[in-house]
Amino acid sequence: MICLTFTTALQAQEYEFFGVIKLNDTSFISYKVLFDRVNDSIQGYSLTDFAGKHETKSNIKGYYNEDENLLSFEEYDIVYTKSPVVQKDFCFVNFEGKVRNLDRVKAFSGDFKGLYADGTSCLDGMIIVNSGQEVKKRVEKIDKVVQRSRKFSDSIKKNIKVAKVLDTLTRNIIAKDENLNIFTRDQKIKLAIYDAGKEDGDVINLYVDDKPVLENYTVLHEIKYLEFDLENVETKIRVEAVSEGTSSPNTVRLEVEDSRNFVRTITNLKEGEHAQMTLVKK
């Protein structure tokens, strides 16, 4: 999650919504917005195509006018993306619509304008989202039906648990041959590597611009910290699964932090497979 700093005297309220954006060509893309509100101002991030091949996280800012029930926000900066498209080609969502009682609303929808970073128009569409609490309630209802039914095997019941379903909506997974582009304005970044689950002997090789930094490294609960100077416009960090340990697949938590943003991701690899992050200086 993006680190937000406000005046200590103010109390921030957090809001989370899941749903889709519908483009004018009738295609649907998964969409999530999470933001903090202090008085009228809101700040946070959006996730487009989350858990998909083009997952993109963008910073958002805006306001909520309680007297007029008006919510307005705009995406203005990309934190990361799995898409190969360069930043200037991204179409940012700019939304303004009526949302009655933001603290209690279960869902909202409305039209948005798509704008490039230079302000020119791109694709317009519609946002259709439900509150995070409503999504959780619906998943819990489905979970209860499945757990009580005799039509489903124990393995299916285990995999559809509420915690697991919601986890798939929030995890940023880098799978085989995928690349995550992370944008930064800093000259140096910090990388944290650890096993966020059961310590099962996952072994990796880590390369920075094809140069080995960690070889046959066994990932532990204890966090391994590395710092890199970003000397080039792009710096490639590649993770290769040497061993899947005692529990397949090879899953390693990776966290990238600079002075503005914090990106958390996890690998999902079989032995011999690799995934990559590319740090792109703005």
Side-chain angles (χ1 to χ4, degrees):
M1 178 182 174
I2 299 169
C3 296
L4 305 173
T5 303
F6 297 99
T7 305
T8 55
L10 302 178
Q11 182 64 43
Q13 293 176 267
E14 186 177 86
Y15 302 86
E16 184 178 37
F17 297 91
F18 291 92
V20 296
I21 53 175
K22 176 183 177 294
L23 302 180
N24 287 341
D25 61 2
T26 71
S27 62
F28 290 84
I29 303 173
S30 59
Y31 195 66
K32 171 186 173 181
V33 286
L34 188 150
F35 54 82
D36 285 351
R37 174 189 170 199
V38 177
N39 292 334
D40 291 339
S41 298
I42 65 173
Q43 188 171 350
Y45 68 83
S46 67
L47 276 178
T48 307
D49 191 31
F50 53 84
K53 293 183 177 180
H54 298 282
E55 180 175 318
T56 300
K57 180 178 182 179
S58 302
N59 289 325
I60 64 171
K61 61 183 177 181
Y63 64 87
Y64 178 66
N65 187 318
E66 196 166 355
D67 294 332
E68 298 181 8
N69 296 320
L70 186 66
L71 174 66
S72 175
F73 66 84
E74 63 182 57
E75 299 173 341
Y76 67 93
D77 199 16
I78 298 173
V79 179
Y80 72 72
T81 182
K82 291 182 180 178
S83 176
V85 182
V86 295
Q87 188 179 19
K88 65 182 179 64
D89 294 327
F90 273 90
C91 187
F92 290 106
V93 168
N94 289 253
F95 174 81
E96 183 173 282
K98 293 286 186 178
V99 178
R100 187 175 181 179
N101 197 334
L102 188 61
D103 292 328
R104 296 183 181 180
V105 67
K106 295 181 179 180
F108 70 85
S109 61
D111 295 334
F112 71 84
K113 292 184 179 297
L115 299 174
Y116 289 118
D118 64 1
T120 57
S121 298
C122 42
L123 286 172
D124 297 337
M126 173 180 280
I127 292 176
I128 307 167
V129 293
N130 291 275
S131 73
Q133 288 298 318
E134 285 301 302
V135 171
K136 184 178 180 180
K137 288 178 183 178
R138 292 182 186 183
V139 174
E140 285 176 340
K141 287 181 180 179
I142 296 172
D143 182 33
K144 287 180 181 179
V145 172
V146 171
Q147 300 305 322
R148 292 171 181 173
S149 176
R150 296 181 179 179
K151 296 181 180 180
F152 301 99
S153 66
D154 289 341
S155 61
I156 291 177
K157 291 180 180 180
K158 183 179 179 181
N159 287 330
I160 206 170
K161 285 289 187 182
V162 174
K164 283 198 171 187
V165 174
L166 294 177
D167 191 39
T168 61
L169 299 179
T170 56
R171 286 197 302 169
N172 174 18
I173 299 173
I174 310 179
K176 171 189 174 183
D177 297 332
E178 281 192 333
N179 176 67
L180 186 71
N181 294 302
I182 301 174
F183 295 89
T184 181
R185 291 184 173 87
D186 291 8
Q187 299 299 316
K188 178 182 291 187
I189 65 98
K190 180 186 290 185
L191 175 66
I193 305 169
Y194 63 99
D195 193 330
K198 180 182 178 182
E199 240 181 56
D200 63 339
D202 287 331
V203 180
I204 64 167
N205 289 331
L206 183 79
Y207 303 88
V208 177
D209 287 336
D210 295 323
K211 297 177 181 178
V213 175
L214 296 176
E215 294 185 277
N216 293 315
Y217 175 72
T218 301
V219 184
L220 307 172
H221 284 159
E222 182 181 354
I223 301 176
K224 176 75 172 179
Y225 289 104
L226 300 170
E227 287 192 350
F228 302 105
D229 292 318
L230 305 182
E231 299 175 353
N232 304 314
V233 175
E234 293 187 355
T235 300
K236 300 182 185 299
I237 300 175
R238 188 173 79 253
V239 178
E240 179 182 82
V242 177
S243 168
E244 299 175 46
T246 58
S247 179
S248 180
N250 183 301
T251 52
V252 179
R253 179 74 72 187
L254 302 168
E255 296 174 349
V256 176
E257 184 177 5
D258 65 12
S259 62
R260 295 174 178 83
N261 296 309
F262 177 79
V263 177
R264 173 180 289 162
T265 186
I266 189 169
T267 63
N268 192 338
L269 304 171
K270 294 181 180 179
E271 184 176 325
E273 295 179 344
H274 68 269
Q276 180 173 283
M277 298 185 295
T278 302
L279 303 171
V280 183
K281 286 203 295 186
K282 295 180 181 180

